[in-house]
Amino acid sequence: MTGQIKSYKRERRFAAIAARLCLICLMLLTAACARLSAVDKPLKKWMPEQQERTDQKLEGDRSSEYAVLLAFSGGGARASSFAYGALKELANTQLTTSKGSRSLLTEVDMISSVSGGSFTAAYYGLHGEQVFTDFEPLFLRKNIEHILLRQLFNPINWFRLISGTYGRADLAASYYDKHLFHGATFADLQRPGAPRVIINATDIATGIRFPFNQSAFDLLCADRSVYPLSRAVAASSAVPIVFSPITLENFAGSCGYQPPAWLAEAEKDTEATVRKIAARRLQDYLDVKKRPWLHLMDGGISDNLGLRSYYDTMNIIADPDAQVEVLDQEEMRHILIISVNARARHKDGWVLERVAPSLLEIIGSVSADEIARYSDDTIELVRSTFRQWTEDKTGEGSPRTFHFVDVSFDQVGDDSERKFLNSIGTNFDLSDDQVDRLIAAAGKVLRESSEFQAFIKLSQDTESR
């Protein structure tokens, strides 16, 4: 009898423990789903003047005669470090303006970024020159890859991950939110004097670029002001297979949004122009039944340089109101675009052997070559588009100039250093030496660029007249 009583008590104790575990699991699952569903918020009422209000907040004390646009490429922490090095050099460069000599960094109007470059762009947009004291210890010199992997194998996170609505990119976003951005939303980017930051991801259903800007959120009737900055960066850097997509709910049709005129105009194009195709893809978002959710991943899939944001606005949209987002000053006379490109050119060892390369080597080589060709085409498109704009706008007594600066590994003069930089992977675990040399290389390339120096000299000559 005593044995039966002990057995009965033991069974009851195990049953109680099992019940508690089930309750904890249920609570964790519910909490995970609740957190995720609470992220995307509908826009109560569309206000077309919202962008103008944002611009007024950002305007600050920048000189009206210059438009300085930066583009940060993808490439993991390699890209983050390279972009950071460019920011440091801009901070140390003096530009002569009508308001006196000032740091060129304070004159930056916009930063368009993808993937690894989005970390640097977002942090600078949020904190300004505080980036030079915080960003290295918080991100560049931390083994983020190991931290995220450790979280993936934490049993507490397993319950979230099996929910079906919480993936590996959400886990990464949670870490970025807690340790890097500290709960910041896009509303926090609207500090006076800050550049407009456009973080770009890719809609994997269509393969088109998705910018986390006001226009895109208006289209979805989604409230951008409360959207976590960490999720946008996580989407922009969500490399396929390694990470899951970041989902964004579509609330189109619920806020009174009126599409811009260029969408309807594009439908009148007699041929299937690039503009017409782009318009149709955007119009698909207006039908919630067809597109209730967006699944967003690495921005490098659709544009590995971050330059397409500028090209699309100036060329495809062809709408004066949209162009104001890029060139928003009537008095603007001089345009500077700096492309900070951390793309590495690897030499495949298998080209030296008769043995056929493996499937993974072929896939890697083909995808890298495709990205390289697409990136080169993008650079030429941007150059020609802005050159044409300056020519069209230049009149008697009102000259306009355009300078394009390529900050890339290709521009590194020292062969051994260029080889070293090209050997750095796209992971988020760099040594201090790799970080140091990436930062130094970006600064040196920018500083020694003849195009960059021509722009600086132009400012001095202009103000001396």
Side-chain angles (χ1 to χ4, degrees):
M1 178 66 73
T2 303
Q4 289 179 338
I5 292 174
K6 288 183 178 179
S7 177
Y8 176 71
K9 288 183 177 179
R10 203 164 40 240
E11 288 175 2
R12 288 200 62 182
R13 188 163 58 251
F14 287 153
I17 293 172
R20 287 171 186 163
L21 285 174
C22 288
L23 181 60
I24 291 171
C25 291
L26 182 61
M27 289 172 66
L28 287 171
L29 282 170
T30 304
C33 294
R35 275 195 297 273
L36 185 58
S37 63
V39 170
D40 305 332
K41 297 290 187 181
L43 187 65
K44 293 179 180 179
K45 183 181 179 181
W46 175 63
M47 293 183 291
E49 66 275 11
Q50 181 60 42
Q51 185 63 59
E52 184 178 348
R53 292 179 181 176
T54 300
D55 292 344
Q56 289 174 350
K57 286 183 181 180
L58 298 176
E59 189 173 338
D61 191 38
R62 281 192 291 269
S63 304
S64 59
E65 67 264 40
Y66 299 106
V68 181
L69 314 175
L70 309 183
F72 292 165
S73 79
R78 182 182 72 206
S80 306
S81 301
F82 206 54
Y84 177 76
L87 288 182
K88 289 192 76 172
E89 185 61 31
L90 291 174
N92 293 327
T93 302
Q94 292 297 301
L95 184 72
T96 305
T97 74
S98 58
K99 298 183 178 182
S101 180
R102 54 176 59 189
S103 160
L104 181 50
L105 185 59
T106 63
E107 291 295 313
V108 173
D109 296 279
M110 184 180 291
I111 305 175
S112 175
S113 65
V114 296
S115 200
S118 291
F119 290 94
T120 310
Y123 201 87
Y124 173 68
L126 189 63
H127 296 295
E129 295 201 17
Q130 187 181 326
V131 69
F132 301 127
T133 58
D134 295 351
F135 193 58
E136 289 188 57
L138 285 176
F139 187 76
L140 295 182
R141 300 185 188 277
K142 266 195 174 180
N143 189 341
I144 301 298
E145 197 166 290
H146 177 71
I147 292 171
L148 294 180
L149 192 63
R150 194 172 59 204
Q151 290 199 352
L152 186 63
F153 286 97
N154 186 337
I156 294 176
N157 291 320
W158 294 351
F159 299 106
R160 292 162 140 189
L161 294 170
I162 64 174
S163 69
T165 59
Y166 192 94
R168 295 182 301 281
D170 298 295
L171 196 61
S174 178
Y175 173 82
Y176 304 149
D177 191 63
K178 183 177 181 180
H179 298 282
L180 189 62
F181 298 113
H182 305 289
T185 67
F186 275 89
D188 296 310
L189 285 180
Q190 297 172 21
R191 60 179 179 83
R196 188 182 297 121
V197 176
I198 307 297
I199 297 169
N200 297 281
T202 301
D203 181 349
I204 59 172
T206 60
I208 66 172
R209 180 180 62 86
F210 180 85
F212 283 84
N213 60 11
Q214 190 62 50
S215 298
F217 273 69
D218 285 348
L219 187 74
L220 304 177
C221 281
D223 191 343
R224 179 175 177 264
S225 66
V226 299
Y227 194 79
L229 196 55
S230 57
R231 287 184 67 78
V233 172
S236 182
S237 58
V239 178
I241 301 176
V242 178
F243 291 102
S244 58
I246 287 285
T247 57
L248 177 60
E249 189 169 357
N250 187 359
F251 304 101
S254 65
C255 66
Y257 172 75
Q258 295 297 316
W262 80 269
L263 283 178
E265 287 296 321
E267 281 296 319
K268 298 177 183 177
D269 292 351
T270 55
E271 298 179 0
T273 60
V274 174
R275 185 175 76 139
K276 188 171 186 175
I277 294 170
R280 285 181 174 174
R281 286 174 174 172
L282 290 177
Q283 286 173 333
D284 284 345
Y285 291 132
L286 297 175
D287 189 340
V288 177
K289 291 183 179 179
K290 285 184 179 179
R291 298 297 307 278
W293 294 93
L294 280 70
H295 297 273
L296 306 172
M297 297 200 77
D298 191 354
I301 299 171
S302 54
D303 169 26
N304 198 46
L305 294 177
L307 284 170
R308 282 272 165 177
S309 180
Y310 301 136
Y311 171 74
D312 289 351
T313 302
M314 294 294 293
N315 194 64
I316 293 178
I317 296 177
D319 181 345
D321 291 336
Q323 289 186 11
V324 167
E325 293 182 11
V326 175
L327 307 175
D328 60 354
Q329 300 285 356
E330 283 292 326
E331 301 86 354
M332 190 278 303
R333 291 292 176 268
H334 309 296
I335 305 170
L336 172 66
I337 294 181
I338 301 176
S339 172
V340 185
N341 180 9
R343 181 185 72 198
R345 296 184 186 272
H346 297 289
K347 289 186 178 180
D348 297 304
W350 49 264
V351 300
L352 303 174
E353 301 176 0
R354 184 177 181 181
V355 178
S358 67
L359 178 60
L360 287 177
E361 287 174 324
I362 293 173
I363 292 173
S365 179
V366 170
S367 60
D369 288 343
E370 287 299 319
I371 289 174
R373 279 194 291 270
Y374 187 70
S375 296
D376 291 339
D377 289 345
T378 297
I379 289 173
E380 288 309 309
L381 285 170
V382 170
R383 276 177 167 155
S384 60
T385 296
F386 279 84
R387 279 200 195 105
Q388 188 62 52
W389 188 91
T390 54
E391 289 175 10
D392 293 343
K393 295 294 182 181
T394 295
E396 188 174 348
S398 60
R400 283 181 166 87
T401 66
F402 168 61
H403 292 81
F404 184 95
V405 181
D406 174 25
V407 180
S408 65
F409 295 167
D410 289 344
Q411 303 304 318
V412 175
D414 184 272
D415 291 343
S416 61
E417 190 64 15
R418 187 170 61 254
K419 184 178 179 180
F420 173 82
L421 296 174
N422 277 304
S423 71
I424 301 174
T426 58
N427 53 308
F428 283 92
D429 173 21
L430 302 184
S431 68
D432 285 340
D433 181 53
Q434 289 173 323
V435 172
D436 289 338
R437 291 165 77 169
L438 283 162
I439 293 171
K444 191 172 190 294
V445 169
L446 183 56
R447 187 167 55 252
E448 296 180 353
S449 164
S450 58
E451 193 80 359
F452 184 64
Q453 291 303 324
F455 174 80
I456 301 300
K457 186 176 186 303
L458 175 72
S459 74
Q460 296 168 346
D461 293 343
T462 300
E463 296 307 321
S464 65
R465 295 188 190 120

